[in-house]
Amino acid sequence: LPRFSPWRPLRRGSAIGRLVGGNLTTIGMLLGTPWAPRFQSGFFPGSRSLLLWEEWNEEPCDIHQRIVHLRTAGIFDRISGMIVGKFVRCENRSYRTSLTARQTVAEAVAGYRFPVLTDVDFGHIPAMLTLPIGARAYLRAHTGTIDILDRAVS
């Protein structure tokens, strides 16, 4: 995929999985409902998904709560990697924490080994990529690359 700006690895490594995700707040609200994303690809037994998410206009402490919600719901045990979009207007405004949004992600994924790539060009930004939800992708966080393995349209 082309890059409009630098993508930054938070944790090096590579992973293959089905792209599943969207807006972090929305994903969290859908957990436990019939409309929640399915975090297992179904292509073969034991396969995992690549969780992609973005957030807009939320403070780092709120992002931390939402991502910890995914972790405690067991989502991190069912993914092979994480792709995080740009944080737009996600700075500290109330000063409830001194961490940045990116630091809250690092704290939330501590103890897991999957690769994490941040600052990817999707979400609430003018120059954004359209990522095909449900397609298999190959994430290489250490080189900052994502290859889409399936045809997204026919």
Side-chain angles (χ1 to χ4, degrees):
L1 295 172
R3 291 183 235 177
F4 300 112
S5 62
W7 300 354
R8 301 182 340 175
L10 185 64
R11 182 175 300 126
R12 300 171 66 82
S14 60
I16 295 176
R18 184 173 60 94
L19 294 173
V20 178
N23 175 266
L24 181 62
T25 299
T26 304
I27 295 168
M29 289 189 305
L30 291 174
L31 289 181
T33 74
W35 301 279
R38 295 184 59 194
F39 290 95
Q40 267 136 354
S41 69
F43 290 110
F44 51 91
S47 59
R48 296 174 180 240
S49 300
L50 290 172
L51 170 61
L52 62 94
W53 62 271
E54 55 81 28
E55 195 53 84
W56 176 80
N57 200 30
E58 295 289 346
E59 290 192 53
C61 58
D62 297 320
I63 291 170
H64 187 260
Q65 290 173 346
R66 287 175 178 87
I67 197 161
V68 167
H69 179 211
L70 296 184
R71 183 182 70 199
T72 57
I75 302 304
F76 287 9
D77 297 322
R78 296 183 281 174
I79 63 173
S80 58
M82 183 181 292
I83 303 168
V84 182
K86 299 269 186 236
F87 293 112
V88 178
R89 296 180 57 197
C90 292
E91 63 279 342
N92 286 312
R93 292 183 292 276
S94 63
Y95 301 100
R96 291 181 281 174
T97 180
S98 61
L99 298 176
T100 66
R102 190 168 191 273
Q103 289 169 326
T104 64
V105 176
E107 184 178 286
V109 301
Y112 290 86
R113 302 183 86 172
F114 51 75
V116 180
L117 183 62
T118 66
D119 296 316
V120 178
D121 298 304
F122 73 94
H124 291 82
I125 57 175
M128 69 173 159
L129 297 170
T130 300
L131 297 172
I133 301 292
R136 286 180 314 123
Y138 182 26
L139 165 65
R140 286 183 295 258
H142 53 287
T143 60
T145 57
I146 303 167
D147 296 316
I148 305 302
L149 304 176
D150 293 332
R151 293 179 68 185
V153 293
S154 56

